Amino acid sequence: MTQLSRLISILTLLKSRRVLTATELSDKFDVSVRTVYRDVQKLITAGVPVITLEGRGYTLMDGYTVAPVQFTEKEANALITAQHLVSTSNDSSFVADFEEALTKIKSVFRSSILEKSEVLNQQLHIFDTRSESISSNALSEIQLAITNFNYTEINYRKANDTNISFRKIEPCAILSTENKWILMAWCHLRKDYRAFRIDRIQHFKILTDTFEDRKFNMRDYYRENPYEPKKNN
């Protein structure tokens, strides 16, 4: 991470939380505490009103904002609730990307809203009763493949099967059921649409080559195939 990127990230974090210590920032960006001191001083020199709270850490002067967007308390609570629900996802890439996005969103919360959202964050609990603990780390990349129409190669393992098959697919839609992410794709091996559990994709590669949009529609597909999709379990 460049210094400029780190400075922007520090500013975003300071806007999304009330107080941050130099040690917390040091651990977050994997730099020395001395580097954090220099970064904070650069922000101050640039006109950012960073305040040092003796014995507590850094904060921003109340009222400082970098964007005109304002959230109501209920809207902020909805985002905090979504954060907890997202944290139960079995895909780590999705969780990480949502956390980063929410950090940026929280940077424009008013101080009073931010304080209340932190209270809710501590008092909101989501219990996950899933019996399976299989996780994935592909959802975010696969979403990009869908929106950019990129061919994708995957190594896939079906349930209760030790064999791994190679597939070239055209990712077209994602659904979630029973806490599992399912990828709908045109499979070139089967010459038909297939459903792939993302947590069973052993390896994937997003290709630069693009495919023609097949205009897949999930509702139409289920209407024509009421007992489908054909799962690769």
Side-chain angles (χ1 to χ4, degrees), residues 67-112:
V69 179
Q70 294 295 335
F71 290 86
T72 66
E73 185 177 348
K74 288 196 296 184
E75 290 170 340
N77 289 345
L79 288 168
I80 296 300
T81 303
Q83 178 185 23
H84 281 258
L85 291 172
V86 167
S87 69
T88 66
S89 171
N90 66 353
D91 190 274
S92 57
S93 67
F94 174 53
V95 174
D97 286 339
F98 186 87
E99 292 286 347
E100 288 296 322
L102 187 59
T103 294
K104 294 176 182 178
I105 292 171
K106 288 168 66 178
S107 71
V108 300
F109 283 4
R110 296 194 306 273
S111 296
S112 59

Side-chain angles (χ1 to χ4, degrees), residues 167-184:
R167 310 288 184 96
K168 182 177 181 180
I169 60 174
E170 299 174 15
C172 55
I174 292 174
L175 63 96
S176 178
T177 177
E178 299 177 349
N179 288 315
K180 300 178 183 67
W181 290 103
I182 309 295
L183 169 65
M184 290 297 301

